[in-house]
Amino acid sequence: MSNKKAVKKVKKRNPNLRLVKNDDIKPESGKSGQKEKVRFDKTKRRMILSAVLLSILTFLIAAYIYIINNYTVTTVHVEGNIHYTNEEIMEMVMGGIYGDNSLILSLRYRDKGIENIPFIEMMDVNIEAKDTIRITVYEKALAGYVAYLGRYVYFDKDGIVVETSMEKTEGVPQVTGLKFDYVVLHETLPVEKPEVFAEILNITQQLDKYSMSADKIYFDSDYQITLLFGDARVALGNDIYIEEKIMKLQYILPDLMGKSGVLDMREYSEDTRSYSFEQD
């Protein structure tokens, strides 16, 4: 059967049937072109974005290498520290990742110091050059310390407990003879005579003025003062003429070192200026 006869026979059964030839179908060239263009634009945007990201990554790597190689700290100045060594201060400031990089340190300590360290009020870090920093330590003003329950209790000029420690601090005298029942951090030692702390501060300041450092400052029950330098004891008596007594002591002390005995300066005054040494 021919194709024409077959078509007529089918149409006779279904008059609405229409035969469409392949030649009659026109390709939708417009839509296909748009799809190809969209694909190209997306690929182009991906390539541009990848190039930008690669450029940023390259810049960051180059900047990192430059900072690491050119901002390494080689010189450190430490000043104001007594309780801690220079190495301990450096470890506190420069510890952690990139702690030896001056740029990182400048960002870490910008407009702020280091606090909450025992015996230290504040530490400032200044970047003086790409390879040089200066650490300035401001230690708490310690007038003396007392031994209490196996610990050393440090107090300031007002008798306020500023720190407790298992270690002694060089240059800070031990104060003995004071009586108290308890110790509370950041509160005043509860002694019978609070004025004694001003006397202790005056003594330590006068000793420091003449480059002397007593091992102990002893107060008896009447708050009479005795300074201990090794086995040599210096009986100062009360706080009258204390400045004059200590000024004179700077000339006497070298002869007392290594000796055991008592230098009695209790009667020393502007008029008498007498003292005696009784060896043990």
Side-chain angles (χ1 to χ4, degrees):
M1 181 183 296
S2 65
N3 289 337
K4 289 184 179 181
K5 289 182 178 181
V7 170
K8 286 181 180 180
K9 189 175 180 179
V10 172
K11 280 186 175 183
K12 189 174 180 180
R13 292 197 302 266
N14 186 359
N16 297 323
L17 183 64
R18 183 172 69 89
L19 177 63
V20 179
K21 297 180 180 179
N22 291 335
D23 296 341
D24 295 335
I25 301 175
K26 297 181 180 180
E28 297 180 0
S29 59
K31 291 184 178 179
S32 177
Q34 288 178 359
K35 290 180 180 179
E36 291 296 331
K37 185 177 181 181
V38 168
R39 290 194 193 98
F40 176 77
D41 290 343
K42 287 183 177 179
T43 302
K44 186 177 181 181
R45 283 198 295 269
R46 289 194 188 100
M47 292 176 63
I48 294 173
L49 181 60
S50 298
V52 171
L53 292 177
L54 182 60
S55 298
I56 294 174
L57 181 60
T58 302
F59 171 79
L60 292 176
I61 293 174
Y64 172 81
I65 295 174
Y66 177 81
I67 291 172
I68 294 300
N69 292 336
N70 291 274
Y71 287 85
T72 300
V73 176
T74 58
T75 304
V76 180
H77 301 284
V78 181
E79 57 188 19
N81 54 310
I82 297 176
H83 186 83
Y84 297 101
T85 64
N86 291 346
E87 290 73 19
E88 288 172 329
I89 295 295
M90 289 170 60
E91 179 61 27
M92 294 175 194
V93 173
M94 303 173 65
I97 187 169
Y98 304 125
D100 62 345
N101 188 278
S102 61
L103 184 59
I104 300 300
L105 290 174
S106 67
L107 296 174
R108 184 184 298 177
Y109 299 116
R110 176 180 292 177
D111 300 326
K112 67 177 181 179
I114 305 173
E115 300 177 338
N116 300 321
I117 298 176
F119 298 102
I120 292 180
E121 193 72 37
M122 176 75 72
M123 282 197 296
D124 287 336
V125 181
N126 296 308
I127 312 302
E128 297 189 339
K130 290 191 297 184
D131 60 349
T132 305
I133 67 171
R134 182 176 298 275
I135 306 171
T136 305
V137 182
Y138 301 96
E139 294 199 350
K140 294 177 179 177
L142 304 177
Y145 74 88
V146 294
Y148 183 74
L149 298 181
R151 298 183 67 87
Y152 303 112
V153 180
Y154 294 87
F155 56 87
D156 65 8
K157 61 183 179 63
D158 299 313
I160 296 175
V161 178
V162 297
E163 209 66 60
T164 64
S165 175
M166 297 293 291
E167 299 179 358
K168 291 183 181 180
T169 298
E170 293 297 327
V172 180
Q174 180 180 4
V175 179
T176 59
L178 300 182
K179 292 181 172 52
F180 49 89
D181 298 325
Y182 60 89
V183 169
V184 179
L185 191 62
H186 305 309
E187 292 188 9
T188 305
L189 278 174
V191 298
E192 296 177 354
K193 183 183 175 184
E195 297 84 4
V196 71
F197 298 115
E199 296 180 24
I200 295 170
L201 177 64
N202 186 32
I203 292 169
T204 56
Q205 287 178 336
Q206 293 300 319
L207 289 173
D208 185 63
K209 180 179 178 179
Y210 300 108
S211 302
M212 294 184 290
S213 178
D215 297 320
K216 293 182 181 180
I217 301 175
Y218 169 70
F219 289 89
D220 66 13
S221 58
D222 296 323
Y223 288 92
Q224 299 288 299
I225 306 164
T226 299
L227 305 182
L228 283 79
F229 299 88
D231 292 326
R233 287 100 64 198
V234 180
L236 298 178
N238 54 38
D239 60 345
I240 299 175
Y241 298 114
I242 195 74
E243 291 86 356
E244 290 81 357
K245 293 175 184 177
I246 293 178
M247 181 178 66
K248 183 63 177 179
L249 180 61
Q250 68 174 317
Y251 303 110
I252 305 172
L253 188 60
D255 295 331
L256 299 181
M257 301 311 297
K259 297 180 180 179
S260 178
V262 178
L263 175 67
D264 191 349
M265 302 184 75
R266 289 176 295 178
E267 302 300 325
Y268 185 94
S269 67
E270 288 185 348
D271 297 328
T272 61
R273 301 193 179 188
S274 64
Y275 57 89
S276 63
F277 179 72
E278 184 178 346
Q279 193 163 350
D280 293 338

